[in-house]
Amino acid sequence: MSSTWPTPGRCLEDFDGDWNRYIEACYQQYRDDFYSGRPRPWPIGGQDLNIKRQPVDERGWCRTFWHLVTAGSVEADRLPDLARLERVGWPMEILQAFHESYPVRRSAKICWWMNDRGSGKGRYLLALADFSYVVIVADRGGYCLLWTAYPVEYSNRRRRLRQEFEDYWESVDQQRNG
């Protein structure tokens, strides 16, 4: 895999440490990707792929953007994360790679599988081939929502994701083969 895919993002230093300019540039990248360059329909079932536009914050930023660039388990307490901000353009690139490779379960760039995390609603996970970054898309029945995306920092978490991927496809293969 090329070292330039996904495309390296801009970092805070590119803006001389000016936080406001940096986060505005990240939001513009997100807007360019998901408003101007709307993703193609979800390749599974021809559903629309959308973003969660509401609620918006005082700056007019939608919930999906904030979830892509912040970290934390409590929604109201999420904080900006530089690693996520630097990768704000990656979800669209990974979604496009998925669209190009579907229905292949693993390509040179990405792999994909499903889970429901006990919610009863399906979620698609699209990961870089080395499981170092994951995009999550929620299936809402009739349409899909880009939910979040994040770098996977720890090797044990990457191993768990790889195992989840393998277990999912083993189960699918067993169901198909009876």
Side-chain angles (χ1 to χ4, degrees):
M1 183 169 19
S2 167
S3 62
T4 59
W5 193 90
T7 306
R10 298 188 300 191
C11 58
L12 183 57
E13 291 79 27
D14 296 337
F15 295 84
D16 298 321
D18 185 327
W19 173 256
N20 290 326
R21 281 183 42 230
Y22 179 52
I23 197 141
E24 286 292 338
C26 290
Y27 190 64
Q28 187 59 51
Q29 168 78 51
Y30 171 81
R31 286 187 57 80
D32 290 348
D33 286 348
F34 291 100
Y35 286 74
S36 303
R38 284 209 27 94
R40 294 184 276 186
W42 190 243
I44 302 170
Q47 301 176 85
D48 284 337
L49 175 62
N50 296 309
I51 56 171
K52 210 171 179 184
R53 296 177 191 266
Q54 299 293 328
V56 294
D57 67 11
E58 64 279 357
R59 295 164 291 214
W61 296 350
C62 72
R63 170 85 42 113
T64 301
F65 170 73
W66 194 242
H67 219 276
L68 289 176
V69 301
T70 61
S73 56
V74 178
E75 193 69 30
D77 297 333
R78 293 176 67 89
L79 296 172
D81 181 288
L82 289 175
R84 288 179 177 224
L85 283 157
E86 290 170 3
R87 293 162 176 83
V88 74
W90 288 19
M92 179 58 85
E93 289 188 46
I94 291 168
L95 288 165
Q96 289 172 337
F98 175 63
H99 203 288
E100 292 164 6
S101 65
Y102 178 80
V104 174
R105 54 183 82 168
R106 174 178 247 149
S107 72
K109 293 181 177 180
I110 64 162
C111 54
W112 73 276
W113 68 101
M114 289 189 72
N115 72 24
D116 69 12
R117 291 284 188 256
S119 68
K121 296 180 180 178
R123 298 182 341 160
Y124 297 96
L125 287 86
L126 315 176
L128 291 182
D130 66 358
F131 296 89
S132 64
Y133 189 84
V134 177
V135 175
I136 299 174
V137 175
D139 186 339
R140 292 296 185 238
Y143 67 98
C144 290
L145 283 176
L146 172 61
W147 199 254
T148 195
Y150 57 90
V152 182
E153 298 175 2
Y154 302 107
S155 59
N156 63 337
R157 177 71 176 132
R158 290 180 191 180
R159 279 192 300 275
R160 284 196 315 265
L161 287 169
R162 182 178 289 110
Q163 188 63 53
E164 186 177 301
F165 164 77
E166 291 169 1
D167 291 349
Y168 172 79
W169 286 109
E170 182 179 316
S171 172
V172 168
D173 290 342
Q174 286 176 354
Q175 289 175 3
R176 286 182 183 156
N177 297 327

